[in-house]
């Protein structure tokens, strides 16, 4: 009887696998497990098996019955699936359907990164500082007199007496110098805040990128060359630049840097207010008081610094005429930058 059970297990399995219609499976179920099925007949025959072998044979037969039943059920399900839908073919290496369109960099981020890339090419590294800043770093350490109008509550968002939202990226210069010895060359991009009423050219939040170079022998000529290299690389043409004398508390001498208008090539147009020039940054030689405040020995080092508005550069590059568009996250605006950056 044992051999019969083994044979039925192997060829029953084969016959089930070979069945290719649901009706075929049902016929097999009857032939194997039905009232007169092969397994059923064997079970009936148990009474003729010697008494000492009967329990083992009975258990083996019951196992066979369960196994064949499971095989029949599984094959039946397989065939039912194939009958209702077409044969299911699955390629698990195909990418799934994305739940929403893939995003893209914000134009400000793209411009920020490409500006940084140009400075990396000139040997600058990159640093950052906090947006919630101590009044000390935002003003005092940058040589702002106590009564300087920029400290006015009108311009600065104060959190309390000593803490404000930074109004410029210049404080990062001081934090950076405090922890390092020259020579150093670094850019610090980031978001800044001013208490401004928003209009087409003003926003209460915007982006700046600060640059700082300090060493034993840095001059205004190094600043000029750095600015020209940046303009040539970013705007793709050697637009002339010019320095206009200006005042910043943390630089001496201080300048504002203009580049020839990229739109009219210096002839005068609406974008440059008919002047032929576009202001792109404030800059100058780092004030001795700032170097001293950073803990450097007097008269040992000189340096230059600059601060540039990233929004304005992005607006110039892409012909955007309202800064608010950069902060509203309107997809009709942002989608125009897909794949073009
Ligand atoms: N922090 C200045 C501003 O927000 C810009 C600036 C001017 C930065 C001159 C500098 C600099 O590093 O040297 O208007």
């Amino acid at each position: 009887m044992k051999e019969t059970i083994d044979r039925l297990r192997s060829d029953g399995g084969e016959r089930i696998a070979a069945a290719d219609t649901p009706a075929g499976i049902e016929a097999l179920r009857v032939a194997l497990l039905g009232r007169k099925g092969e397994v059923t007949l064997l079970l009936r025959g148990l009474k003729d098996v010697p008494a000492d072998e009967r329990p083992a044979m009975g258990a083996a037969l019951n196992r066979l019955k369960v196994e064949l039943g499971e095989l029949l059920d599984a094959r039946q399900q397989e065939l039912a699936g194939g009958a209702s839908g077409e044969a299911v073919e699955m390629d698990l290496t195909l990418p799934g359907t994305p739940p929403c369109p893939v995003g893209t960099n914000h134009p400000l981020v793209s411009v920020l990164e490409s500006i940084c890339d140009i400075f990396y090419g000139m040997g600058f590294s990159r640093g950052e500082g906090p947006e919630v800043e101590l009044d000390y770093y935002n003003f005092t350490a940058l040589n702002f007199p106590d009564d300087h109008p920029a400290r006015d509550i009108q311009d600065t968002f104060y959190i309390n007496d000593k803490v404000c939202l930074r109004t410029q990226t210049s404080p990062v210069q001081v934090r950076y110098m405090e922890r390092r010895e020259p020579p150093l060359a670094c850019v610090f991009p980031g978001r800044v805040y001013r208490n401004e009423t928003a209009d087409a050219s003003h926003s209460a939040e915007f982006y700046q990128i600060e640059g700082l170079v300090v060493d034993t022998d840095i001059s205004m000529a190094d600043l000029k060359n750095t600015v020209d290299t940046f303009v040539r690389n970013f705007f793709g043409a050697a637009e002339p630049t010019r320095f206009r004398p200006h005042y910043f508390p943390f630089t001496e001498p201080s300048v504002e840097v203009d580049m020839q208008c990229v739109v009219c090539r210096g002839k005068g147009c609406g974008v440059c207010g008919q002047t032929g020039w576009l202001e792109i940054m404030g800059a100058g030689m780092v004030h001795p008081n700032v170097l001293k405040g950073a803990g450097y020995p007097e008269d040992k080092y000189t340096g230059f610094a600059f601060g540039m508005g990233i929004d304005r550069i992005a607006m110039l590059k892409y012909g955007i005429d309202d800064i608010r568009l950069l902060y509203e996250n309107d997809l009709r605006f942002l989608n125009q930058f897909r794949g073009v950056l």
Side-chain angles (χ1 to χ4, degrees):
M1 187 169 214
K2 185 163 180 321
E3 290 85 71
T4 322
I5 294 176
D6 289 344
R7 186 183 44 73
L8 211 50
R9 173 173 285 115
S10 69
D11 82 17
E14 277 167 27
R15 282 153 70 196
I16 293 168
D20 52 7
T21 59
I25 287 292
E26 277 323 298
L28 261 179
R29 194 187 296 278
V30 174
L32 293 167
L33 308 178
R35 269 195 331 118
K36 290 186 185 149
E38 292 167 56
V39 179
T40 318
L41 292 179
L42 284 175
L43 276 165
R44 287 209 191 120
L46 266 180
K47 59 181 188 318
D48 305 323
V49 173
D52 55 340
E53 289 175 26
R54 210 175 290 148
M57 283 302 137
L61 265 177
N62 276 322
R63 255 200 318 278
L64 176 65
K65 187 173 162 184
V66 171
E67 281 171 24
L68 291 176
E70 283 173 358
L71 285 177
L72 285 161
D73 290 346
R75 182 73 183 133
Q76 190 169 43
Q77 261 187 13
E78 239 172 71
L79 291 170
S84 61
E86 267 84 273
V88 188
E89 220 172 85
M90 256 206 273
D91 181 351
L92 296 177
T93 64
L94 282 175
T97 315
C100 58
V102 176
T104 178
N105 271 345
H106 190 281
L108 275 177
V109 172
S110 299
V111 168
L112 187 158
E113 292 302 333
S114 49
I115 293 175
C116 286
D117 279 346
I118 294 168
F119 284 100
Y120 300 154
M122 289 190 262
F124 282 65
S125 49
R126 174 176 179 166
E128 57 180 45
E131 290 178 20
V132 179
E133 183 56 287
L134 290 171
D135 174 275
Y136 170 78
Y137 286 109
N138 198 70
F139 295 123
T140 312
L142 288 167
N143 200 35
F144 278 75
D146 278 345
D147 56 356
H148 194 283
R151 292 186 179 227
D152 198 304
I153 196 95
Q154 297 295 318
D155 296 321
T156 310
F157 288 115
Y158 275 93
I159 308 266
N160 62 35
D161 277 0
K162 293 198 166 63
V163 181
C164 62
L165 297 184
R166 66 179 177 191
T167 58
Q168 48 186 354
T169 42
S170 305
V172 195
Q173 288 184 30
V174 182
R175 288 182 173 272
Y176 192 78
M177 286 191 282
E178 276 180 349
R179 291 159 173 267
R180 281 171 193 80
E181 278 296 310
L184 43 94
C186 195
V187 284
F188 314 108
R191 202 188 275 240
V192 303
Y193 302 85
R194 286 187 201 171
N195 194 352
E196 305 257 17
T197 307
D199 63 25
S201 49
H202 295 89
S203 163
E205 50 181 335
F206 52 99
Y207 280 79
Q208 286 188 335
I209 183 164
E210 193 80 14
L212 175 71
V213 171
V214 184
D215 202 346
T216 46
D217 208 9
I218 300 294
S219 76
M220 209 73 170
D222 298 307
L223 168 63
K224 176 87 173 159
N225 182 54
T226 305
V227 169
D228 285 355
T229 306
F230 164 72
V231 168
R232 197 165 56 241
N233 279 279
F234 188 82
F235 291 96
E239 305 291 351
T241 58
R242 68 177 188 186
F243 283 2
R244 270 183 296 108
H246 200 72
Y247 169 77
F248 297 106
F250 38 91
T251 41
E252 181 59 36
S254 302
V255 293
E256 274 187 336
V257 181
D258 296 340
M259 65 180 274
Q260 187 176 279
C261 179
V262 274
V263 179
C264 63
R265 288 269 138 77
K267 290 194 194 67
C269 68
V271 174
C272 58
Q274 309 304 331
T275 63
W277 294 93
L278 297 166
E279 182 205 320
I280 53 168
M281 62 173 86
M285 300 305 293
V286 182
H287 197 289
N289 286 350
V290 177
L291 294 172
K292 201 161 82 191
Y296 293 160
E298 232 165 301
D299 296 334
K300 184 166 178 198
Y301 298 115
T302 53
F304 70 75
F306 60 85
M308 183 160 47
I310 294 179
D311 303 66
R312 199 171 137 67
I313 302 283
M315 290 166 75
L316 274 178
K317 175 152 184 170
Y318 295 119
I320 300 165
D321 58 7
D322 192 323
I323 191 172
R324 290 169 292 193
L325 288 166
L326 293 169
Y327 295 93
E328 284 166 354
N329 288 328
D330 184 331
L331 288 177
R332 289 170 301 181
F333 170 73
L334 294 177
N335 279 334
Q336 297 176 56
F337 296 94
R338 270 175 184 285
V340 300
L341 302 169

